[in-house]
Amino acid sequence: MTSESKAPSARTAAGPQIGPFAQLIFGSRWLQLPLYVGLIIAQSVYVLLFLKELWHLVVHSFDASEQQIMLIVLGLIDVVMISNLLVMVIVGGYETFVSRLNLNGHPDEPEWLSHVNASVLKIKLAMAIIGISSISLLRTFIEAGNLGTTRSNFTETGVMWQVLIHLTFIISAIGIAWVDRLADNAHRKEAGHGHGHG
């Protein structure tokens, strides 16, 4: 009797039993691991690019104009923002879609990670992309004075398209945030109705 009564409780403690097909589907999330490792390698490449640009800035700091220095600094900020985006995708994506990192109580746990989910991650990524696009657009506006000359890296059409793409990013981010807010409000109403019936 005692051994029989202990067996179900041991089974319950081990967690729910799932079939082999469900295990295969659930285990397939680990196929994303090489993708995140690849992004870590890409992050390393960005670190090297940052150091290269920083060295270029230091070496040419005395013979470069203020505009050239500003463009290099904006390039460095651009690299940092893309690197931040990579960290959000690597850490947030792994935590959301692959496995928990169990960072609770860790002194270096990112503030945003405690409440991250697919919706929050989407909005944060959209905002990061807008930030990156803003820096690129600012660099374009600084160089806009050279439009029509041989020193210009841009054409008027190119600048126009860059502005339109930036506006598209902003509209997309607003759309994502609005849809998520509607979904959140719908969940709250459902939860409220559930408590009301209870």
Side-chain angles (χ1 to χ4, degrees):
M1 280 283 211
T2 318
S3 60
E4 283 176 13
S5 61
K6 279 184 183 173
S9 63
R11 237 182 259 126
T12 311
Q17 297 292 323
I18 58 173
F21 189 62
Q23 281 181 342
L24 175 67
I25 290 172
F26 186 56
S28 68
R29 71 194 191 283
W30 288 103
L31 289 173
Q32 291 192 33
L33 187 61
L35 307 182
Y36 290 113
V37 171
L39 287 180
I40 292 168
I41 293 167
Q43 176 92 311
S44 306
V45 172
Y46 263 101
V47 170
L48 292 173
L49 177 64
F50 182 89
L51 293 173
K52 179 186 166 189
E53 289 293 316
L54 186 62
W55 175 253
H56 185 71
L57 174 65
V58 171
V59 169
H60 298 287
S61 57
F62 292 107
D63 53 314
S65 67
E66 185 184 350
Q67 183 177 331
Q68 287 171 326
I69 291 172
M70 198 184 302
L71 287 170
I72 294 171
V73 170
L74 285 173
L76 292 175
I77 294 169
D78 207 16
V79 171
V80 170
M81 292 187 79
I82 292 171
S83 187
N84 290 343
L85 178 63
L86 279 168
V87 168
M88 270 194 281
V89 173
I90 294 165
V91 178
Y94 183 88
E95 171 89 12
T96 305
F97 301 110
V98 181
S99 181
R100 293 198 179 281
L101 292 167
N102 295 321
L103 294 175
N104 290 339
H106 194 283
D108 293 330
E109 181 190 2
E111 180 272 329
W112 52 270
L113 193 60
S114 57
H115 53 267
V116 76
N117 57 39
S119 298
V120 172
L121 196 59
K122 270 191 298 184
I123 293 169
K124 285 194 173 292
L125 292 179
M127 296 309 293
I129 289 167
I130 289 170
I132 291 164
S133 176
S134 299
I135 294 295
S136 297
L137 203 56
L138 184 56
R139 289 172 70 185
T140 303
F141 287 160
I142 289 170
E143 289 196 40
N146 296 327
L147 277 177
T149 66
T150 52
R151 289 187 301 158
S152 176
N153 295 322
F154 304 96
T155 61
E156 287 181 20
T157 312
V159 173
M160 183 190 72
W161 275 111
Q162 203 169 343
V163 171
L164 288 174
I165 290 166
H166 182 69
L167 288 173
T168 305
F169 285 148
I170 292 171
I171 292 164
S172 300
I174 292 168
I176 290 167
W178 183 64
V179 168
D180 279 337
R181 190 173 178 181
L182 287 179
D184 193 39
N185 288 340
H187 286 311
R188 282 179 187 169
K189 282 180 185 174
E190 282 176 19
H193 285 313
H195 287 308
H197 289 309

